[in-house]
Amino acid sequence: MSAALESDSDVSALAEEDVLRARFYGLMARLLASAPDGDALEVLRSLQGDDTEMGVALGALASAASAHDPESAEDEYNALFIGVTRGDLVPYGSFYLTGFLNEKPLAALRATMMKLEIERGDATSNPEDHIASVCEMMAGLINASFGPAEAGTPESLRLQKTFFAQHIAPWAGRFFADLEGAEKASLYRPLGTVGRLFVAIEEEAFRMVE
Amino acid sequence: MSELDKKEGLDRRSFLRGVGLSAGAAGAGAAVMSGSKSAEAAVDGAGKKAAGYQETELVRQAYELSRF
């Protein structure tokens, strides 16, 4: 909790819309890296919807969170993403773009990570082109946690636009749509909707940036 | 900031303000985002506990170089 608040006060240059964008990426990163624990579910239950398409999806996510506890959330997460050898969904850029893991999209992401000096958090062997990972990188770019640009500048926005175009736009919308329609999804179904809508919003917003 | 940047910025801002992001993420969203600042930490979980040791590029290179 303090880490998130810390980064908010560090980036006083950020407009409210960008703070919200970073939080959305953070929300998706958190829920797609692992199932929500009790605290995270509590936060999801408190999300307020409004009558925009996104607001309705957020309200549905809040309702779904009310119908779940950490155990059922974990069961669902495992069924969707882990399985025995693999889950129903394989949320990696390489898989969505080539049908296989550890392909060119991963190599391209690693090249970007080197350029932006983004390091791996630990010694895990999971490929970095996982949806949670690229979402967290986008949040980091918005907050200027790494990269050469200052937070809230046009330069930062161009960096974000490039990263989004290369590592998220080609596949993330399809992944979220798949999540939305996954048979075993219940808590994660509205997250799929939220993610799909958010990717579309980001695409539209970036079209307004040169 | 150039004039063009400013105008584009305003269009983009007003678009983002109208699509409903504030419906969910303001305030409550911050707590969910707690966790590490490093970009890879989100992936570390995937149902497993993250290892305490952090492998940076430098450490990895040191290991490679120390192999005989």
Side-chain angles (χ1 to χ4, degrees):
Chain A
M1 175 103 146
S2 62
L5 292 174
E6 234 177 87
S7 60
D8 273 6
S9 62
D10 283 347
V11 291
S12 50
L14 273 191
E16 192 197 334
E17 298 78 33
D18 290 324
V19 173
L20 291 173
R21 288 173 59 230
R23 286 184 179 165
F24 261 77
Y25 280 113
L27 173 71
M28 294 186 308
R30 172 61 188 86
L31 294 175
L32 292 165
S34 59
D37 58 13
D39 288 343
L41 279 173
E42 216 26 71
V43 169
L44 290 178
R45 288 171 192 142
S46 71
L47 293 174
Q48 299 285 319
D50 65 17
D51 53 14
T52 59
E53 211 179 348
M54 174 61 86
V56 169
L58 289 168
L61 182 55
S63 297
S66 298
H68 281 266
D69 60 26
E71 289 73 36
S72 62
E74 174 115 29
D75 286 345
E76 183 176 330
Y77 183 93
N78 287 336
L80 288 170
F81 301 115
I82 311 293
V84 177
T85 49
R86 52 156 276 191
D88 294 346
L89 298 168
V90 186
Y92 293 89
S94 292
F95 186 80
Y96 266 79
L97 295 170
T98 74
F100 298 95
L101 296 174
N102 304 312
E103 283 291 336
K104 277 206 185 120
L106 175 60
L109 178 64
R110 283 180 172 159
T112 296
M113 288 171 67
M114 256 181 45
K115 221 168 81 170
L116 297 174
E117 296 178 326
I118 303 173
E119 289 178 354
R120 289 207 71 123
D122 81 359
T124 181
S125 58
N126 290 331
E128 299 92 313
D129 60 341
H130 190 282
I131 185 69
S133 185
V134 295
C135 282
E136 187 157 4
M137 290 183 208
M138 270 301 293
L141 280 172
I142 295 169
N143 289 322
S145 306
F146 36 71
E150 302 285 313
T153 59
E155 192 195 349
S156 173
L157 202 49
R158 280 191 288 270
L159 273 179
Q160 293 168 41
K161 176 175 174 166
T162 302
F163 186 93
F164 182 87
Q166 290 175 349
H167 306 295
I168 295 185
W171 69 282
R174 277 190 291 134
F175 159 71
F176 283 115
D178 286 348
L179 182 57
E180 205 179 356
E183 192 193 321
K184 294 170 191 163
S186 159
L187 172 64
Y188 278 82
R189 191 180 312 285
L191 180 69
T193 310
V194 168
R196 178 177 58 77
L197 292 174
F198 185 63
V199 169
I201 285 167
E202 283 283 275
E203 264 171 351
E204 183 63 34
F206 280 128
R207 268 200 277 275
M208 302 172 186
V209 175
E210 257 322 297
Chain B
M1 207 190 285
S2 74
E3 279 308 308
L4 184 60
D5 281 337
K6 257 197 220 156
K7 173 167 195 311
E8 285 178 342
L10 288 171
D11 289 339
R12 184 166 176 276
R13 295 257 163 82
S14 55
F15 167 71
L16 284 170
R17 251 180 263 128
V19 292
L21 295 185
S22 56
V32 181
M33 267 50 82
S34 71
S36 99
K37 285 176 178 173
S38 72
E40 278 311 297
V43 149
D44 301 346
K48 309 171 206 157
K49 295 275 180 217
Y53 161 70
Q54 301 231 337
E55 185 189 80
T56 64
E57 192 53 33
L58 264 171
V59 173
R60 205 183 53 74
Q61 280 172 10
Y63 270 48
E64 307 237 54
L65 289 168
S66 66
R67 273 205 294 241
F68 297 108

